[in-house]
Amino acid sequence: MDRNEVVLVGRLSAAPEDKPLPSGDILTKWRLIVRRPHHRSGQTMTDSVPCATFDPEAAAFVRSLRPRDTMEIKGAFRCHVYGPTAAKIWRYEVEVSIAKEAPPDEADQPRPSRRPRKPFSLSRTRRLGNAPEPPEGQKRRRGPALPQSPEASGSAMARETPDTLASVPTPRPAPDLAQTG
């Protein structure tokens, strides 16, 4: 058995338009923006789906929405063919029978805010070998200690004096290869 059922959840692109027909019916038209699953390139792709309804309840609901509000629609896929035989124009739309509010998408929900990180401070880092004990109830931070200035660490470089540095021989210049040989 053939079936023509459409269920879409998306956002209203702009305010709907009402078009009175000679029969006295009112045709309400709008576009629904529907996101596709994420593309390989990371971009979000969307489809703009034309929708129309003759149902007064569905039309009233759509008119009550603002652009970018989320809705769910149910209906049938329709194809309209216009124009002369040599240059036919095919238009597709969803003829909506039910329009209702859709629950917000989880991806649209604001993420819980993280506590801001404290600014980095050398006073909070662990010292080499003489780390103070953390206050009671706090865990000791693990990880490599950050290098400190030579004066603070007491390294041999900090204890060297200008006399010691003067006793280091200066490097000899490289022999000139043009003069040898």
Side-chain angles (χ1 to χ4, degrees):
M1 180 175 162
D2 297 339
R3 293 175 68 184
N4 184 355
E5 298 173 356
V6 175
V7 177
L8 296 172
V9 176
R11 296 178 182 273
L12 180 65
S13 68
E17 297 176 13
D18 289 334
K19 182 178 180 182
L21 301 177
S23 65
D25 292 335
I26 296 177
L27 177 64
T28 304
K29 298 179 115 183
W30 71 93
R31 287 190 168 274
L32 191 67
I33 305 300
V34 180
R35 288 181 291 197
R36 294 184 188 179
H38 287 291
H39 194 261
R40 278 182 267 165
S41 66
Q43 296 175 334
T44 302
M45 305 293 287
T46 59
D47 292 311
S48 175
V49 181
C51 301
T53 189
F54 290 102
D55 185 80
E57 289 178 21
F61 173 76
V62 174
R63 279 190 227 106
S64 72
L65 298 176
R66 295 184 320 245
R68 302 197 45 81
D69 282 350
T70 305
M71 75 168 101
E72 178 179 337
I73 62 168
K74 294 181 181 182
F77 190 67
R78 301 282 185 241
C79 177
H80 302 282
V81 182
Y82 303 97
T85 308
K88 295 279 184 198
I89 298 172
W90 297 63
R91 300 218 186 235
Y92 297 93
E93 67 185 11
V94 175
E95 186 176 328
V96 177
S97 56
I98 298 172
K100 61 183 182 177
E101 188 173 344
D105 189 8
E106 294 165 6
D108 296 336
Q109 296 297 320
R111 293 183 178 168
S113 62
R114 292 184 176 180
R115 287 184 283 144
R117 289 186 172 200
K118 294 180 182 176
F120 179 76
S121 167
L122 284 177
S123 64
R124 293 187 333 165
T125 60
R126 198 165 42 134
R127 306 241 187 265
L128 293 174
N130 60 352
E133 289 298 317
E136 196 171 322
Q138 288 186 355
K139 294 181 180 178
R140 179 183 287 259
R141 292 182 64 194
R142 295 181 185 243
L146 297 175
Q148 300 173 358
S149 65
E151 295 81 21
S153 64
S155 69
M157 184 78 170
R159 290 181 295 224
E160 290 179 346
T161 62
D163 296 334
T164 308
L165 294 176
S167 65
V168 176
T170 58
R172 290 186 291 165
D176 190 6
L177 296 177
Q179 293 179 357
T180 58

